[in-house]
Amino acid sequence: MTTPRYGVLVLATVVCAGPLAAQRDVTARLAGRVPPAVAAAVRVLADSAAARGLPADPLVDKAIEGGAKGVAPERVVAAVRLVLGELDAAAAAIRAGRVAIPDAETIEAGAFALAAGMAGPQITELVGLSTDPYAPAATLRVAGTLTALGVPAPQTVELVRETIQSGGSGADLLALPAKLQSRVARGASPAQAAAGLARPDEARGPPPGQREPDKGHPPRNPHRP
Amino acid sequence: MKAYDPLVKQLLDGELTLAELPPELQAEGSEALRLLAAVDRRAVMLPETLDARVMDALRTRARVVPVVPLARRSLGWITEPLELRLRVRPWALGAALAAAAALVLVLRGPGGMISRQGPAATVSALPESLLVRFVLYAPGAKQVGLAGTFNQWNQSATPLVRAGNDGVWTVTLTLPAGQHQYGFVVDGRRWVTDPAAPAVDDGFGRRNSVIAVGGTLRAGRVL
């Protein structure tokens, strides 16, 4: 096989450019935000993450957060290590759910669900439930949010399963956290609020103009303008 | 050029005599012999210095190397074809084929893994953002900031403003699609979670509020 030398040079540049650029990016983002020792440790962890196909941005974000909150350097590094462990565990759980090469968005969503209190097998189960049109990342984000709102993790999995299997639309799935918050605001516990929420009619609430007489207006979501 | 009869050519080669030619060719044969006899057959004497002059000229030419600019030489080096030889040993080829077949079975076979990377990742990468309003009730506060993953946790980048005199602080900003963690910073030192949002452990002994912003439903697919 004959190829011009520039073919070899281009190939070498492409192979080396990615990791070098990523390392420069990590260094640039951390500059002035964390002590040099923390930056060096995070660079090593970010390289390790990249080598394992994991996103490095969450590690940098966590280090920056630690620096902004005035946390001691060793504790920042420990927290970054913890995030790396969550990303690793999430990726393994997602792969066990038959997604051969999970993308960064799905891995981050899985790590969020783990941080919210879910377990690896539950992540795997949720990924398995995420058949088209439900993407695993969306399912994991919704499940993680529900768990973060106080719904027990096993009940969260069941709620998501029932929503998907009862033919709920994508909007029904995405609306679950807001509906749950609405019920909690009216005095229900998270577990009570989650019960029966999977039924599309329950999730959607009453038709427009037909307010439930005994429940009043749900509180307005303060995040929406 | 005149083409001689083959018999005349034999005459010129000395294979025949003029008398042996047929009568109709004898005139042609005579003419050919006349022309041949007119050729100067004297030996050519080369000057003795010829060899020396030729060799001098060759040595001089070998010493003159054309001057090529550095850039041109570099370009030539880069574009010069390079031969790469890949030697595939039979046992290695067999192993590679077996590995490829196994990979195909794992990825495509019944109950096998199916990569969901691709369309979802592509579509979800589309830029999208939403206006989001953050509200905190902090009647005693002198200043309130909003810090999170969306502003590099910079507590002075997004200050909240008082909404009247009842202790409500608020700010509205555009956030890109995705999940964000954040917290309020009261008076520059006290981190407070958003009571209206879910929260997760921040890894530093406190909690971060979480908000998911738009970009999750497109073309009938949940992203």
Side-chain angles (χ1 to χ4, degrees):
Chain A
M1 184 170 68
T2 302
T3 180
R5 276 184 210 273
Y6 64 74
V8 179
L9 292 175
V10 167
L11 182 64
T13 305
V14 167
V15 168
C16 299
L20 288 175
Q23 206 169 42
R24 273 200 305 273
D25 184 48
V26 170
T27 303
R29 288 192 63 197
L30 292 175
R33 298 180 191 277
V34 295
V38 172
V42 173
R43 269 198 302 275
V44 172
L45 292 172
D47 286 346
S48 170
R52 285 139 76 180
L54 304 173
D57 278 349
L59 309 182
V60 180
D61 286 340
K62 185 54 68 180
I64 291 173
E65 179 188 347
K69 290 181 175 178
V71 178
E74 62 274 17
R75 198 159 183 192
V76 173
V77 175
V80 173
R81 280 185 193 281
L82 186 66
V83 172
L84 177 57
E86 286 172 347
L87 291 170
D88 214 4
I94 292 164
R95 280 194 287 267
R98 297 183 185 173
V99 175
I101 309 169
D103 54 64
E105 186 184 10
T106 307
I107 294 173
E108 287 181 40
F112 164 68
L114 286 174
M118 305 198 81
Q122 290 164 336
I123 304 293
T124 302
E125 197 173 348
L126 288 168
V127 171
L129 288 171
S130 303
T131 52
D132 200 53
Y134 304 97
T139 309
L140 291 171
R141 273 200 296 263
V142 168
T145 304
L146 291 170
T147 307
L149 285 167
V151 180
Q155 192 180 357
T156 294
V157 175
E158 283 313 304
L159 178 54
V160 171
R161 179 201 304 279
E162 287 171 21
T163 303
I164 291 175
Q165 291 181 347
S166 67
S169 67
D172 288 330
L173 180 69
L174 298 173
L176 286 177
K179 297 295 179 188
L180 183 97
Q181 282 181 293
S182 160
R183 290 181 167 200
V184 169
R186 279 178 269 161
S189 71
Q192 289 169 337
L197 205 58
R199 289 193 295 275
D201 287 343
E202 287 279 336
R204 284 193 192 102
Q210 297 181 24
R211 211 176 77 197
E212 293 167 280
D214 56 338
K215 292 181 179 175
H217 266 307
R220 189 161 175 251
N221 185 346
H223 293 303
R224 299 294 175 192
Chain B
M1 176 188 273
K2 181 178 179 181
Y4 289 112
D5 187 282
L7 290 174
V8 175
K9 289 182 181 174
Q10 283 185 301
L11 170 69
L12 292 175
D13 291 342
E15 295 170 359
L16 294 174
T17 62
L18 189 60
E20 289 172 327
L21 287 177
E24 67 274 14
L25 291 178
Q26 289 199 351
E28 185 181 339
S30 297
E31 174 64 14
L33 287 173
R34 190 187 63 76
L35 289 173
L36 188 62
V39 174
D40 186 356
R41 296 187 177 186
R42 283 177 301 176
V44 177
M45 300 303 291
L46 298 176
E48 291 180 357
T49 57
L50 180 64
D51 282 354
R53 280 191 286 131
V54 169
M55 293 311 295
D56 283 347
L58 288 174
R59 288 189 196 101
T60 306
R61 185 171 295 181
R63 278 197 299 270
V64 176
V65 178
V67 179
V68 180
L70 178 63
R72 194 167 168 183
R73 268 187 286 152
S74 303
L75 185 65
W77 184 84
I78 289 173
T79 56
E80 179 187 346
L82 189 67
E83 187 172 332
L84 301 178
R85 290 185 180 178
L86 300 177
R87 181 177 294 173
V88 182
R89 300 192 185 279
W91 59 267
L93 184 63
L97 287 174
L103 189 63
V104 168
L105 286 175
V106 167
L107 294 178
R108 296 290 177 196
M113 290 195 264
I114 300 166
S115 171
R116 294 197 180 92
Q117 195 181 32
T122 305
V123 176
S124 62
L126 288 173
E128 187 181 322
S129 56
L130 282 178
L131 279 173
V132 181
R133 187 175 65 170
F134 292 86
V135 180
L136 181 70
Y137 178 67
K142 291 186 174 61
Q143 59 177 7
V144 178
L146 176 67
T149 50
F150 42 80
N151 65 3
Q152 304 289 303
W153 294 96
N154 184 344
Q155 52 186 277
S156 58
T158 314
L160 279 73
V161 296
R162 286 181 197 274
N165 296 319
D166 52 1
V168 175
W169 296 75
T170 181
V171 66
T172 302
L173 71 160
T174 305
L175 287 184
Q179 199 157 42
H180 307 279
Q181 296 192 19
Y182 65 97
F184 296 110
V185 187
V186 176
D187 294 336
R189 52 186 163 76
R190 191 161 58 91
W191 287 79
V192 177
T193 56
D194 187 341
V200 292
D201 187 358
D202 72 349
F204 306 119
R206 289 189 281 250
R207 295 179 75 74
N208 288 335
S209 301
V210 180
I211 183 172
V213 175
T216 47
L217 251 185
R218 280 202 199 95
R221 183 174 170 78
V222 187
L223 298 171

